Amino acid sequence: MTRITAIRALDIRFPTSRSLDGSDAMNLAPDYSAAYCIIETDGGHAGHGLTFTIGRGNELCVAAITALAPLIEHIPVEDLLSDMGATWRRLTGDSQLRWVGPDKGVIHLATAALVNALWDLKGKVEGKPVWRVLTDMTPAETVALVDWRYLSDALDPGRARERLEENLPTRAARIAEMRATGYPAYTTSAGWLGYSDEKMRDLCRAAIAQGWNHFKMKVGGNLEDDIRRARIIREEIGPNRRLMMDANQVWGVAQAIDHMKPLAAFDPWFIEEPTSPDDILGHAAIARGVAPIKVATGEHCQNAVMFKQFLQADALQILQLDSARLGGVNEIVGVFLLADHFGVPVCPHAGGVGLCEYVQHLSIFDYVCVSASLTDRVLEYVDHLHDHFETPVRMRNGHYLPPEEPGYSITMKPDSIAAHLWPDGAAWKG
Amino acid sequence: MTRITAIRALDIRFPTSRSLDGSDAMNLAPDYSAAYCIIETDGGHAGHGLTFTIGRGNELCVAAITALAPLIEHIPVEDLLSDMGATWRRLTGDSQLRWVGPDKGVIHLATAALVNALWDLKGKVEGKPVWRVLTDMTPAETVALVDWRYLSDALDPGRARERLEENLPTRAARIAEMRATGYPAYTTSAGWLGYSDEKMRDLCRAAIAQGWNHFKMKVGGNLEDDIRRARIIREEIGPNRRLMMDANQVWGVAQAIDHMKPLAAFDPWFIEEPTSPDDILGHAAIARGVAPIKVATGEHCQNAVMFKQFLQADALQILQLDSARLGGVNEIVGVFLLADHFGVPVCPHAGGVGLCEYVQHLSIFDYVCVSASLTDRVLEYVDHLHDHFETPVRMRNGHYLPPEEPGYSITMKPDSIAAHLWPDGAAWKG
């Protein structure tokens, strides 16, 4: 029997606001941060997990990890890992802690860090990367990961199982394909709002040279600026590469439709986060108003109950779940199954700190077990902060190559952790 | 010029789980708690505010108050209080803190404590109860309190102002009526899930003797138990008093409809929180499935964007906003205006710690300035913990009498604060 000996919660922050990396219309000066969790055991493995924030407020997520830890720390590791569905309900079902959510905001971000740390531990114990743990599960085991209470009106768990069974015979072929060519990606590094026109042009040319075919730009500032920047990027990438636009929630419903009219001239594939992440019916109205441009959203979508409704209302055409805002792998598996049921491609949000490391596992699972399709699926990639991880993502020809090391690829280097502890790490001195 | 000299955040908890007061199907053993905020100034007044939780996690809201405080503590009090709309946007608009919401969960609960403390301070500075501050505002001033960015697709601010202007000539008559007879209330004290059948009968009889005409029971446990308890309460209250049922989110969508079929025999006025508070479309399906029984929800509704959609989707027929879960008075004013526009009565959630003290101000404002109607409007009342406040609610014949003391009625007695500080107060020793 393996015991948890400690659950540590660390406040790690990177001073990214100094260079305006990651700036957009809503998030002008983010300091990319992680509420980082280490589940130490007496069994030779430690589970690492994080949730991503952009600076202030990270300490709240760290405190929430500490608040959640007593729900699991007395339970044998084997019991926690052998029924991850029950473990998820244990972490999200505390009646008192539920009040300050439920299943949203700080407490759910912290749940993600802990749940993902348990999945990292499970991968390490089983000697497999997490995507492999997931693709080795039977359909019944996969379905049992998900809390269906508030989801089964949209998708019957029995139907979800049938879908997984349909794809079972061809899993091995897709795993081989992933290992050969990887999962297709796109880059957000070219079009941040804080960059000059010249820097955007240079970054576009460099990205094209590296083989990228999808380009995302930030919009939602002054409309004339948005139009000028869209023209520049479309000039640089030509007519055949895909341009995506991201408004980061700054518009109201009518405003989103109005602003997209002149921007439609630059043939965007989708408009991302056009309005409040909570406004399902507003996104549905925008989707009708900007068609055939698609609506993409999800990085701020708080839980599977919200995604269920976005799908029911045809309010998004590209689903961008976040690996650390949803409550970890279990809830994400539910969202993949729902999206597939509604025929909507999932293109997870990434970037930040460690999100690229996470999403590669998730999208490979989606392709191998759930969607069995790469059509309209690209995985976000941002070329920042990877060198702080023990096993960073490996990119080739604009594709993520499947990680092969055990765990969830999120273990940070001890030196990086020490240097970026907030507020006393070396990166924050002076 | 008045300066803020300190913003204190206190963790106050009452050991209510020892008596099962407040138990329901989701919240089995709550310790009613307040993340309590004191805005101290050099001007002779202090603003008090709180957000309500049920125990664990209260410390997260306390920490979030501390995280938000730097956004306002350097600004002259006169500037903060003279443009409360701008002050609200300042408190909710920090780009980094927004990430751990936005506008939901721990960070928004803390926003409520701070915003409400500022309203308390405003009332004390002006020498008026908060309801009177609100009813003395011009329609334009009222409309300017609200952040319309994500709401104006459902209600144009100009139309909201017209509605307030329509009711302006008759405000004084409704104020006189409130002072004469008070705002009608109902009691939740009789039907908590942890109580025995005999205790329920005794409480029903006592409540009838006190003049109550609305009775709420908790459902969502075993269906046979729910039916037995409903029969007992209906027997006690007779056919003409109103029975309400509250499931506290335990059901899925189909299950809610199924369970309400046998319970319909006891003629409930509404079913409250039948499923996830996030499931707008699920509530709409339940409302269609249980009609003519109404659906009531809102105590866990995170913000005005969600309420907007509940109204747009006809997903609730009774709107139960929470005075400390929404981001304080400003956002609540917006929800009152939206509900009126859609013709839905607002019956705020109360009970807990201090929520009755808050909601009396809000519903009197609603009646005087917005709805101008008492039809299907009753304000929740729970007879717990009032003696810890300096100016507790005053009830007469099942009505709330308008508070006349300056402020928001939420200032707790120093002895009560000291005794219930967690974990070192006298109430928590031993």
Side-chain angles (χ1 to χ4, degrees):
Chain A
M1 192 188 88
T2 310
R3 291 183 313 115
I4 292 175
T5 52
I7 297 181
R8 297 169 58 204
L10 305 174
D11 191 335
I12 297 172
R13 306 192 192 189
F14 297 86
T16 49
S17 63
R18 294 176 192 164
S19 60
L20 290 188
D21 293 341
S23 61
D24 62 54
M26 187 66 85
N27 308 298
L28 296 173
D31 287 320
Y32 281 2
S33 302
Y36 194 87
C37 164
I38 305 176
I39 301 176
E40 295 179 346
T41 74
D42 61 7
H45 296 292
H48 290 235
L50 62 76
T51 198
F52 169 63
T53 81
I54 62 171
R56 287 183 293 281
N58 201 53
E59 76 281 10
L60 303 175
C61 298
V62 172
I65 292 171
T66 301
L68 289 163
L71 301 175
I72 58 165
E73 62 192 357
H74 59 289
I75 300 174
V77 170
E78 290 79 2
D79 293 351
L80 291 170
L81 300 185
S82 64
D83 187 350
M84 292 291 275
T87 299
W88 194 86
R89 286 189 294 276
R90 179 181 292 276
L91 277 167
T92 57
D94 180 79
S95 67
Q96 295 191 0
L97 290 173
R98 218 180 156 277
W99 189 273
V100 299
D103 301 335
K104 60 180 67 74
V106 167
I107 198 75
H108 211 50
L109 289 159
T111 299
L114 269 165
V115 170
N116 287 340
L118 286 165
W119 279 94
D120 182 61
L121 182 60
K122 186 174 172 73
K124 288 170 176 170
V125 167
E126 297 185 14
K128 299 173 184 174
V130 163
W131 69 267
R132 191 75 228 205
V133 174
L134 288 167
T135 58
D136 280 351
M137 284 183 163
T138 67
E141 289 169 338
T142 304
V143 169
L145 295 174
V146 180
D147 185 346
W148 292 97
R149 171 155 58 168
Y150 296 141
L151 306 179
S152 59
D153 59 310
L155 174 57
D156 180 79
R159 178 70 198 99
R161 179 174 164 167
E162 287 169 16
R163 175 60 171 162
L164 292 162
E165 283 165 353
E166 282 168 29
N167 288 330
L168 198 51
T170 49
R171 278 189 192 179
R174 284 188 295 280
I175 290 174
E177 178 191 350
M178 286 289 103
R179 283 182 165 145
T181 59
Y183 198 99
Y186 73 91
T187 179
T188 306
S189 301
W192 295 113
L193 216 56
Y195 290 169
S196 70
D197 293 356
E198 283 61 40
K199 183 164 182 179
M200 280 201 310
R201 283 192 193 275
D202 291 346
L203 289 169
C204 282
R205 290 171 194 179
I208 291 166
Q210 288 163 25
W212 299 103
N213 290 311
H214 296 73
F215 293 77
K216 195 196 287 183
M217 64 173 290
K218 300 293 184 175
V219 297
N222 175 285
L223 180 58
E224 296 308 311
D225 288 342
D226 286 347
I227 293 170
R228 190 190 74 255
R229 291 156 47 82
R231 180 173 293 120
I232 288 169
I233 295 183
R234 181 52 84 191
E235 279 174 13
E236 292 294 332
I237 69 175
N240 297 323
R241 294 189 183 86
R242 272 183 167 165
L243 172 62
M244 295 98 99
M245 297 180 176
D246 184 354
N248 290 90
Q249 316 169 22
V250 298
W251 293 325
V253 174
Q255 195 183 15
I257 296 170
D258 287 348
H259 279 233
M260 287 308 295
K261 278 179 190 152
L263 292 169
F266 306 102
D267 190 23
W269 180 36
F270 64 62
I271 175 64
E272 177 174 338
E273 287 205 305
T275 191
S276 163
D278 303 337
D279 199 349
I280 299 155
L281 301 180
H283 278 83
I286 293 167
R288 292 190 296 271
V290 305
I293 300 169
K294 296 175 191 292
V295 167
T297 192
E299 76 178 68
H300 279 81
C301 183
Q302 66 206 33
N303 59 36
V305 176
M306 294 296 286
F307 273 126
K308 177 186 76 169
Q309 296 173 83
F310 272 99
L311 292 163
Q312 289 172 318
D314 200 14
L316 53 73
Q317 289 74 48
I318 303 286
L319 190 152
Q320 301 176 304
L321 63 82
D322 186 287
S323 54
R325 190 174 288 276
L326 292 175
V329 172
N330 299 66
E331 189 168 20
I332 292 164
V333 167
V335 174
F336 277 126
L337 289 164
L338 282 165
D340 175 70
H341 182 68
F342 283 89
V344 168
V346 179
C347 301
H349 171 240
V353 183
L355 300 183
C356 297
E357 277 67 23
Y358 273 154
V359 296
Q360 55 184 342
H361 293 267
L362 300 169
S363 284
I364 292 170
F365 159 73
D366 181 34
Y367 179 55
V368 171
C369 297
V370 183
S371 76
S373 169
L374 293 176
T375 302
D376 285 345
R377 286 162 175 89
V378 277
L379 198 36
E380 190 164 15
Y381 175 72
V382 185
D383 185 19
H384 290 159
L385 305 176
H386 298 292
D387 50 338
H388 299 291
F389 292 88
E390 298 270 12
T391 55
V393 292
R394 296 177 303 145
M395 305 300 293
R396 191 172 67 200
N397 297 330
H399 287 63
Y400 280 88
L401 295 178
E404 299 292 352
E405 303 86 354
Y408 207 172
S409 307
I410 210 69
T411 302
M412 288 183 77
K413 296 175 181 170
D415 288 354
S416 290
I417 291 176
H420 295 91
L421 281 175
W422 190 83
D424 295 322
W428 292 100
K429 291 295 186 196
Chain B
M1 191 187 85
T2 310
R3 290 182 314 113
I4 293 174
T5 52
I7 296 182
R8 296 168 60 202
L10 305 175
D11 191 335
I12 297 172
R13 306 192 192 189
F14 297 86
T16 48
S17 62
R18 294 176 192 164
S19 60
L20 290 187
D21 292 342
S23 61
D24 62 53
M26 186 66 86
N27 308 299
L28 297 172
D31 287 321
Y32 282 2
S33 302
Y36 194 89
C37 164
I38 305 174
I39 301 177
E40 295 179 345
T41 74
D42 62 6
H45 296 290
H48 290 235
L50 61 77
T51 199
F52 169 63
T53 81
I54 61 171
R56 287 183 293 281
N58 201 52
E59 75 281 10
L60 303 175
C61 297
V62 171
I65 292 170
T66 301
L68 289 162
L71 300 175
I72 59 165
E73 62 192 357
H74 60 290
I75 300 174
V77 170
E78 290 79 3
D79 294 351
L80 291 171
L81 300 185
S82 64
D83 187 350
M84 291 292 274
T87 300
W88 194 85
R89 287 189 293 278
R90 178 181 293 276
L91 276 168
T92 57
D94 179 79
S95 66
Q96 294 191 359
L97 290 173
R98 220 180 154 278
W99 189 271
V100 299
D103 301 334
K104 62 180 66 73
V106 167
I107 197 75
H108 211 51
L109 289 160
T111 299
L114 269 165
V115 170
N116 286 341
L118 287 165
W119 279 95
D120 182 62
L121 182 60
K122 186 173 171 73
K124 288 170 176 169
V125 167
E126 297 185 14
K128 299 174 185 173
V130 163
W131 69 265
R132 189 78 228 203
V133 175
L134 288 167
T135 58
D136 280 350
M137 283 183 163
T138 67
E141 288 170 337
T142 304
V143 168
L145 295 175
V146 180
D147 185 346
W148 292 97
R149 173 156 56 168
Y150 296 140
L151 306 179
S152 59
D153 59 310
L155 173 58
D156 180 80
R159 178 70 198 98
R161 177 173 165 169
E162 287 168 16
R163 174 61 171 161
L164 292 162
E165 284 166 352
E166 282 168 29
N167 288 330
L168 198 50
T170 48
R171 278 188 192 179
R174 283 187 297 280
I175 290 174
E177 178 191 350
M178 288 288 103
R179 284 184 163 144
T181 59
Y183 198 99
Y186 72 92
T187 180
T188 305
S189 299
W192 294 113
L193 216 55
Y195 290 170
S196 70
D197 293 356
E198 282 60 42
K199 182 162 182 179
M200 280 200 311
R201 283 193 194 274
D202 291 345
L203 288 170
C204 281
R205 290 171 194 179
I208 291 167
Q210 289 163 25
W212 299 104
N213 290 310
H214 297 73
F215 293 77
K216 196 195 288 183
M217 65 173 290
K218 300 292 183 174
V219 297
N222 174 285
L223 180 58
E224 296 310 310
D225 288 343
D226 287 348
I227 292 170
R228 189 189 75 256
R229 291 157 46 81
R231 180 173 293 119
I232 288 169
I233 296 182
R234 181 52 83 192
E235 280 173 14
E236 292 294 332
I237 69 175
N240 296 324
R241 295 190 182 85
R242 272 183 168 166
L243 172 63
M244 295 97 99
M245 297 181 177
D246 184 354
N248 290 90
Q249 314 170 22
V250 298
W251 292 326
V253 173
Q255 194 182 15
I257 296 170
D258 288 347
H259 278 234
M260 288 308 295
K261 279 179 191 151
L263 291 169
F266 307 102
D267 190 24
W269 180 34
F270 64 62
I271 174 65
E272 178 173 338
E273 287 206 306
T275 190
S276 163
D278 302 338
D279 197 349
I280 299 155
L281 301 180
H283 278 83
I286 293 167
R288 291 190 297 272
V290 305
I293 300 168
K294 298 175 190 291
V295 167
T297 191
E299 77 179 67
H300 279 80
C301 184
Q302 68 206 32
N303 60 36
V305 176
M306 294 296 286
F307 273 125
K308 176 187 76 170
Q309 296 172 82
F310 272 99
L311 292 164
Q312 290 172 318
D314 199 14
L316 54 73
Q317 289 74 48
I318 303 286
L319 190 152
Q320 301 175 305
L321 64 82
D322 185 285
S323 55
R325 189 175 289 276
L326 292 176
V329 173
N330 299 67
E331 190 169 19
I332 291 164
V333 167
V335 174
F336 277 127
L337 289 164
L338 283 165
D340 175 70
H341 183 67
F342 283 89
V344 168
V346 179
C347 301
H349 171 241
V353 182
L355 300 184
C356 296
E357 278 67 24
Y358 272 154
V359 295
Q360 55 184 344
H361 293 268
L362 300 170
S363 284
I364 292 170
F365 159 74
D366 181 33
Y367 179 55
V368 171
C369 297
V370 183
S371 76
S373 170
L374 294 177
T375 303
D376 285 345
R377 285 164 174 89
V378 278
L379 197 38
E380 189 165 16
Y381 175 71
V382 185
D383 185 18
H384 289 159
L385 304 176
H386 298 291
D387 51 338
H388 299 292
F389 293 88
E390 298 270 11
T391 55
V393 293
R394 295 177 302 144
M395 305 301 293
R396 190 172 66 201
N397 298 330
H399 287 64
Y400 281 87
L401 293 179
E404 298 293 350
E405 302 86 353
Y408 208 172
S409 307
I410 210 70
T411 302
M412 288 182 78
K413 296 175 181 170
D415 287 355
S416 290
I417 292 176
H420 295 92
L421 281 176
W422 189 83
D424 295 322
W428 292 99
K429 290 296 186 194

